[in-house]
Amino acid sequence: MPDPTQRLALFIDGAYLSSASRALGFEVDFKRLLEDFQSQGTLVRAAYYTAYEDQLHAPLRALLDWLAYNGYAVIEKEIRSYLDPDGVKKKLPRIELEIAVHAMDLSSRIDGMILFSASGSFRRLVAAMQRRGVHVTVVSTLQAPTLIVADELRRQADKFVELRDLRLRLERQSSAAIVRTKGRR
């Protein structure tokens, strides 16, 4: 049951959410996502994190601009390259540190944290937030084999929500589906 006094913050690993929802056969409607969580309490922050390499492709740039103008804090991080000990070029598209720092900064101002990610790297962040009295919900999936949530993250969270179960509430409707729906009235 929604609690309007509950202060919430969303932390979205953009690359993960995009990949996971696609693997589950749908595209997230970020306007619906924001409205859904606003209905569950007072949304203090909705943050979308993404890593990029040089120039962002036009579709991602358009999404980030839309998010920034429609209630999301957009945090972008450039992907860094390095040579491993064998001389192989590696890339670090990790945004975990940014999410962790922002979550800790907000910890005294929120009651609930909703984390969209599958990375076990967040287990310690979740534990730290819980020690500060923040209830942590992890939204991820056990249904998309290559993007499955890390067991240690799922176990540490106060609540785990299967992304597939949110499909009806968060799915972007195609223009054809919208026309069919309007025609049935």
Side-chain angles (χ1 to χ4, degrees):
M1 178 169 283
D3 178 356
T5 64
Q6 187 86 343
R7 298 168 302 162
L8 305 172
L10 302 176
F11 298 89
I12 301 168
D13 175 340
Y16 171 76
L17 181 56
S18 175
S19 297
S21 63
R22 253 193 330 266
L24 294 171
F26 73 100
E27 183 180 348
V28 173
D29 181 328
F30 287 97
K31 181 178 180 185
R32 291 178 75 187
L33 186 147
L34 197 61
E35 290 169 351
D36 188 76
F37 284 96
Q38 285 171 330
S39 74
Q40 295 181 35
T42 301
L43 196 55
V44 173
R45 174 73 43 89
Y48 182 94
Y49 300 82
T50 190
Y52 65 91
E53 201 169 13
D54 301 325
Q55 294 291 335
L56 292 174
H57 342 331
L60 182 56
R61 178 80 269 151
L63 171 64
L64 297 179
D65 288 345
W66 186 92
L67 292 170
Y69 284 111
N70 288 281
Y72 288 86
V74 175
I75 297 85
E76 302 174 49
K77 181 178 180 181
E78 185 176 1
I79 295 173
R80 304 285 182 185
S81 297
Y82 70 96
L83 294 177
D84 74 4
D86 297 325
V88 177
K89 187 175 181 179
K90 301 280 184 171
K91 296 179 182 182
L92 286 175
R94 318 255 334 205
I95 45 83
E96 284 93 343
L97 182 60
E98 283 74 14
I99 292 175
V101 169
H102 292 150
M104 294 302 290
D105 282 349
L106 283 175
S107 66
S108 65
R109 299 186 2 232
I110 61 175
D111 304 305
M113 169 183 179
I114 297 95
L115 175 64
F116 288 79
S117 184
S119 176
S121 300
F122 286 120
R123 190 201 62 74
R124 293 191 64 207
L125 169 63
V126 170
M129 295 297 282
Q130 291 167 328
R131 286 192 300 274
R132 286 163 177 75
V134 176
H135 182 274
V136 180
T137 299
V138 169
V139 179
S140 192
T141 187
L142 294 167
Q143 307 294 317
T146 59
L147 299 161
I148 195 166
V149 63
D151 191 54
E152 62 269 23
L153 178 62
R154 186 172 55 89
R155 289 176 186 265
Q156 185 68 51
D158 294 302
K159 183 178 180 184
F160 172 75
V161 175
E162 171 59 52
L163 181 58
R164 176 176 273 163
D165 295 344
L166 298 179
R167 181 176 184 159
L168 291 177
R169 294 177 11 212
L170 304 182
E171 184 172 19
R172 169 169 292 198
Q173 294 183 339
S174 69
S175 55
I178 293 169
V179 170
R180 281 194 307 270
T181 303
K182 286 181 179 178
R184 291 183 184 159
R185 288 185 181 174

